[in-house]
Amino acid sequence: MTNSSSDNGNPFQIEIFPSRLVRPATAKELLNEISKIDGIIRAFIQGPRLPTEVPYGPAKGSVVNHGSREHVKVGDVDIELSIMVGRIRLEIEHEDVKIKLREVCERVLPFGFEIREGLFIPKKQTISDYAKRGPGADPKFLGLYDPKSKPDKQITILNSEENEA
Amino acid sequence: MAYEPQFYPGATSVAENRRKHMSGDVEKLREISDDDLTTVLGHRAPGTDYPSTHPPLAEMGEPECSIREIVEPTPGAKAGDRIRYVQFVDSMYNAPATPYFRSYNASINFRGVDPGTLSGRQVVEARERDMEELAKFQIETEMTCPALSSLRGATVHGHSLRLQEDGVMFDMLERTVLENGYIVAVKDQVGRPIDKKVNMGKPMSEEEAAKRTTIYRVDNVPYRSDSEVIEWVHRVFEQRTKYGFQPL
């Protein structure tokens, strides 16, 4: 019998997969609850993109004003949601964090969800990552942003030692 | 005895709904006015005349042709209307129609239409007033649930995604919104804002959508549970394989 990755004491990754696409109010509550849990190393929010302008067709360039593209405050940090939250992937330190996350999800996501364990955020650099960032790149940021984009636009640091000081 | 088309095999509710869509014998659930329809389609301003690409056929003097004598032109063709389109997107989460059944409905029950069937969307091109007749029919009847189906001329993304928390199919341009229990269109088919909001009707409940859908789903009516459909699909596959096999 094989052991799951959560049995060996090393950090492991889980994915919260809600049964519905989450509106900003629920996303805000969920992210705030998650940010209060200790033992989360990094998290990744994924979902369908909400553009600010119509990207193609006869209305190309018109303003979209999507009701779900909102600023949400997680802890002390203001984040603009440019997607509708579809799944949250987390790297966590131990099994207890997963139990706490399940409790939070049961409370905040009444329409149902799944929690899966697996490898969702890359742990090794790809060739593109290496070409863009070189050998000295911070491994914590791996897989959290596109090599072509700027990290400060896509990554938010919560509960860091610098923030607390 | 006169021939009665059977349309589709099967004993389940899904098979029955498929027969309804194909035969056009569907229940009318809501009303949408002509002006509202014109507004959401976005091809011309509501209340204006239909622009034309050629003079009415009666004024043109058509050449002598036996086929033209047999086939009565559609009202749109008679008036010389432009060709315009309507495009529907139906969610995979128990939307009443699917692209195939919208196309069957259009081809069997309407004249002068050119349906295009794609995996996630279904487009019909026709003379403007013929297209509007079809669009009105499909929107007003049980073929459409305003929350699970929508008119999307461009940026059709959403049919295969999970529904939003409020049970509405995702639309990145947010052409429709749920207001006081009704789906209200705030943009036209392609995402241009419209002056007047258009009430598209009340969404179906989850139970009603499951009852009216033409989609076989494991969590509703599984395909394998309809033995008559399976038998006929096997027969069609077997016969077309044998027909295609031509030994020297």
Side-chain angles (χ1 to χ4, degrees):
Chain A
M1 202 177 107
T2 54
N3 291 336
S4 87
S5 59
S6 53
D7 293 343
N8 57 17
N10 292 331
F12 63 102
Q13 295 181 6
I14 60 165
E15 180 183 70
I16 301 170
F17 188 84
S19 304
R20 294 273 174 101
L21 296 173
V22 179
R23 283 275 186 192
T26 316
K28 182 183 169 185
E29 195 182 344
L30 183 63
L31 294 174
N32 267 307
E33 293 277 344
I34 290 175
S35 72
K36 287 178 199 158
I37 299 172
D38 285 335
I40 297 171
I41 302 163
R42 47 194 191 144
F44 182 84
I45 309 169
Q46 190 265 347
R49 193 170 67 90
L50 303 172
T52 48
E53 286 182 357
V54 179
Y56 43 81
K60 186 177 177 179
S62 313
V63 180
V64 173
N65 272 335
H66 201 290
S68 292
R69 197 180 168 104
E70 271 186 22
H71 285 263
V72 294
K73 206 162 183 191
V74 182
D76 300 329
V77 186
D78 189 62
I79 303 172
E80 187 188 11
L81 286 178
S82 55
I83 54 152
M84 186 170 258
V85 178
R87 55 182 102 201
I88 301 175
R89 293 162 169 183
L90 304 128
E91 190 166 84
I92 57 178
E93 281 172 354
H94 44 78
E95 186 71 21
D96 291 351
V97 184
K98 189 175 160 186
I99 296 166
K100 284 182 193 162
L101 282 167
R102 187 176 285 280
E103 284 167 10
V104 166
C105 291
E106 277 166 5
R107 203 166 54 243
V108 182
L109 305 172
F111 39 80
F113 63 91
E114 283 174 34
I115 290 190
R116 304 163 180 162
E117 204 174 298
L119 180 62
F120 304 107
I121 311 172
K123 288 185 168 182
K124 285 183 186 168
Q125 276 194 327
T126 61
I127 289 179
S128 314
D129 285 331
Y130 186 86
K132 178 76 181 174
R133 300 176 195 126
D138 188 343
K140 267 192 182 164
F141 292 170
L142 251 185
L144 294 186
Y145 70 101
D146 186 70
K148 285 182 182 166
S149 68
K150 294 212 166 96
D152 54 336
K153 281 195 173 171
Q154 298 199 349
I155 297 177
T156 306
I157 299 167
L158 302 171
N159 307 333
S160 72
E161 284 163 15
E162 283 169 34
N163 284 0
E164 284 162 14
Chain B
M1 204 172 77
Y3 170 71
E4 270 188 40
Q6 297 174 35
F7 295 113
Y8 200 83
T12 55
S13 63
V14 173
E16 180 56 37
N17 293 335
R18 288 182 173 203
R19 280 194 284 274
K20 281 189 194 172
H21 284 213
M22 290 172 86
S23 64
D25 179 21
V26 279
E27 193 184 337
K28 188 171 171 178
L29 297 180
R30 58 190 81 85
E31 288 270 352
I32 180 162
S33 72
D34 290 348
D35 279 357
D36 283 353
L37 180 70
T38 314
T39 307
V40 289
L41 289 173
H43 294 306
R44 66 190 167 93
T48 53
D49 285 344
Y50 291 99
S52 58
T53 49
H54 60 76
L57 290 182
E59 291 173 19
M60 278 176 65
E62 291 186 86
E64 201 171 303
C65 168
S66 54
I67 298 300
R68 286 177 200 239
E69 282 165 21
I70 299 167
V71 182
E72 170 81 7
T74 62
K78 231 183 237 177
D81 286 356
R82 306 173 298 177
I83 300 282
R84 284 294 173 267
Y85 71 91
V86 58
Q87 184 162 262
F88 287 92
V89 176
D90 295 289
S91 171
M92 284 164 64
Y93 286 88
N94 284 344
T98 60
Y100 253 101
F101 285 88
R102 283 195 190 276
S103 286
Y104 279 133
N105 176 270
S107 309
I108 296 170
N109 299 288
F110 294 86
R111 294 171 60 228
V113 291
D114 178 12
T117 322
L118 298 104
S119 56
R121 59 196 166 103
Q122 194 262 354
V123 61
V124 177
E125 288 180 19
R127 300 287 188 147
E128 196 161 355
R129 67 190 80 192
D130 303 338
M131 177 275 290
E132 285 185 3
E133 186 194 348
L134 173 133
K136 198 172 161 80
F137 176 86
Q138 295 201 352
I139 292 172
E140 285 185 339
T141 59
E142 61 175 310
M143 289 185 71
T144 297
C145 162
L148 300 173
S149 320
S150 67
L151 289 174
R152 296 185 189 181
T155 339
V156 294
H157 183 53
H159 84 285
S160 62
L161 300 184
R162 280 162 285 165
L163 300 176
Q164 292 172 179
E165 245 181 281
D166 50 12
V168 180
M169 177 169 58
F170 173 79
D171 179 8
M172 77 184 203
L173 302 187
E174 209 173 39
R175 278 163 272 223
T176 55
V177 288
L178 185 66
E179 275 183 16
N180 306 322
Y182 288 88
I183 298 288
V184 176
V186 291
K187 292 175 188 170
D188 70 7
Q189 222 193 157
V190 292
R192 285 180 294 230
I194 50 181
D195 300 335
K196 189 183 131 232
K197 288 181 180 177
V198 173
N199 187 342
M200 303 298 287
K202 216 174 176 142
M204 289 179 186
S205 66
E206 274 183 47
E207 295 74 36
E208 195 186 354
K211 206 179 78 189
R212 292 191 193 268
T213 187
T214 50
I215 302 173
Y216 287 104
R217 272 182 74 101
V218 187
D219 58 3
N220 186 25
V221 178
Y223 187 54
R224 295 270 163 202
S225 69
D226 214 331
S227 52
E228 197 188 348
V229 175
I230 298 282
E231 188 191 327
W232 276 94
V233 169
H234 283 176
R235 184 177 151 81
V236 169
F237 269 75
E238 189 185 345
Q239 292 203 324
R240 79 173 190 188
T241 307
K242 283 180 181 167
Y243 175 75
F245 180 56
Q246 293 180 342
L248 291 171

